[in-house]
Amino acid sequence: MRALLVVNPAATTTSARVRDVLIHALASEMKLEVVTTEYRGHAQDLGRRAAESSDIDLVVSLGGDGTVNEVVNGLLQHGPDPDGLPGLAVVPGGSTNVFARALGLPNDAVEATGAILDALSERRVRTVGLGHAAGTPGTEDESVPARWFTFCAGLGFDAGVVGRVEQQRERGRKSTHALYVRQVVRQFLDEPNRRHGVITLEQPGEDPVSDLVATIVCNTSPYTYLGNRPIYASPEASFDTALDVLGLNRLSTPAVTRFTTQLLTSTPEKGPHGKHAVSLHDLTDFSLHSKAPLPFQMDGDHLGLRTSVTFTGVRRALRVIV
């Protein structure tokens, strides 16, 4: 087997020594080419190169969810082809690693590498669905490049928190769960639309859902992790279905307190609920429209401000080694 290993040297939980050990272990079982990313978007370029190559069977991503997202977008540059494109294996190296953990892989890079090698020897492969987001035709965002996401996207409050965290990291702060909590509080205090939402969800053949303050689009469950605690925003979301949406139409202090408590105590059977929460399951096509530009994120990566995004849930989009 010929494989390309894409290594993010800035991955927060793997040292150079650990990376060397992992490279040695993988190289003992396959013909391995190792490339270290050097700029934002490099992993996507490498994924595209692998997709267009005739002799790469597998791409291994060593990094966090951002690295995985770039690799996936490179592999699917010309659209899904699970049987024709190289497979994907994920070695977690970031602070949260939602995609790898949702696949059932250990959160430790060494243990995950061992699990991947076992899966390769036993030919354990799973084909997963992915989310796709693009600018809505006829809007000012229609020319925004389309992107794939592996586990979540968000327009509004959730994405605002992600943007604040990125700003703090650019200033040298470490990505910790305490940092996220502080940015949630600050985003809440500064949120201008927390009592009167400006987001409308539209899907073919259904009445629109309006006045949403926050929207979280899930491709799998859990939505994220707080340390070792899984957080279930849309418990029914799955790699085997299309997309789930959790929408909130109020972020008053009582509503946020209730919502936060429900998230922290969420289970695979029960997520946030109540009169200010809207839960939609297994949506293939829908759009989110906002009366004002709002923050937008995909797989924990802040992508700027948007007023309209069209989503597609694509089943059986990519082969992964599990």
Side-chain angles (χ1 to χ4, degrees):
M1 174 177 287
R2 294 179 61 91
L4 171 67
L5 174 62
V6 179
V7 179
N8 179 359
T12 56
T13 60
T14 54
S15 65
R17 179 174 295 180
V18 168
R19 289 195 290 270
D20 287 343
V21 170
L22 302 183
I23 291 170
H24 180 76
L26 292 169
S28 68
E29 299 295 331
M30 61 191 73
K31 188 170 183 180
L32 187 69
E33 178 186 359
V34 182
V35 181
T36 299
T37 58
E38 299 177 354
Y39 53 86
R40 188 182 181 103
H42 193 182
Q44 181 168 341
D45 292 341
L46 294 171
R48 181 173 61 250
R49 192 192 88 188
E52 295 171 350
S53 170
S54 60
D55 59 356
I56 294 179
D57 307 299
L58 176 69
V59 179
V60 184
S61 170
L62 173 52
D65 288 310
T67 305
V68 175
N69 180 277
E70 286 195 12
V71 170
V72 167
N73 273 279
L75 284 171
L76 273 64
Q77 180 78 21
H78 305 296
D81 182 7
D83 297 324
L85 291 172
L88 172 70
V90 180
V91 179
S95 58
T96 310
N97 308 306
V98 178
F99 183 62
R101 294 162 85 174
L103 290 171
L105 291 168
N107 197 37
D108 177 81
V110 175
E111 292 182 10
T113 301
I116 289 168
L117 291 174
D118 289 342
L120 287 170
S121 67
E122 298 169 13
R123 298 188 177 182
R124 294 200 309 267
V125 178
R126 178 180 181 184
T127 303
V128 300
L130 296 173
H132 186 262
T136 304
T139 71
E140 62 185 62
D141 290 328
E142 66 178 339
S143 62
V144 175
R147 286 189 67 86
W148 297 88
F149 60 97
T150 63
F151 64 92
C152 81
L155 181 69
F157 184 86
D158 163 68
V161 174
V162 170
R164 287 175 180 270
V165 170
E166 286 191 6
Q167 288 178 350
Q168 294 299 313
R169 292 187 64 183
E170 289 171 358
R171 295 170 184 169
R173 303 286 180 85
K174 291 185 177 180
S175 179
T176 65
H177 298 294
L179 176 63
Y180 274 87
V181 171
R182 288 195 299 271
Q183 302 317 310
V184 168
V185 173
R186 289 172 180 170
Q187 181 67 25
F188 169 70
L189 294 175
D190 292 341
E191 176 59 55
N193 305 304
R194 64 189 184 192
R195 291 187 180 276
H196 303 286
V198 296
I199 303 171
T200 298
L201 185 151
E202 296 180 353
Q203 55 176 321
E206 301 289 341
D207 293 334
V209 181
S210 59
D211 301 326
L212 298 174
V213 179
T215 49
I216 298 174
V217 182
C218 294
N219 186 50
T220 188
S221 189
Y223 151 67
T224 190
Y225 292 82
L226 189 60
N228 291 322
R229 179 191 292 275
I231 304 297
Y232 299 91
S234 297
E236 291 186 284
S238 167
F239 287 130
D240 298 320
T241 61
L243 301 173
D244 283 25
V245 179
L246 172 65
L248 301 175
N249 58 26
R250 178 160 305 182
L251 287 179
S252 62
T253 301
V256 166
T257 301
R258 182 169 58 254
F259 170 63
T260 302
T261 301
Q262 290 177 347
L263 273 180
L264 293 176
T265 59
S266 59
T267 69
E269 292 76 35
K270 192 171 185 179
H273 55 279
K275 64 179 181 180
H276 297 306
V278 177
S279 296
L280 301 171
H281 175 58
D282 197 16
L283 305 186
T284 301
D285 298 285
F286 64 96
S287 296
L288 296 176
H289 305 280
S290 173
K291 298 175 183 176
L294 293 178
F296 180 59
Q297 68 89 7
M298 296 175 68
D299 285 347
D301 187 12
H302 186 268
L303 298 179
L305 301 178
R306 303 283 177 86
T307 57
S308 187
V309 186
T310 292
F311 292 90
T312 306
V314 181
R315 294 174 175 84
R316 297 184 55 79
L318 183 69
R319 284 185 303 120
V320 293
I321 307 301
V322 291

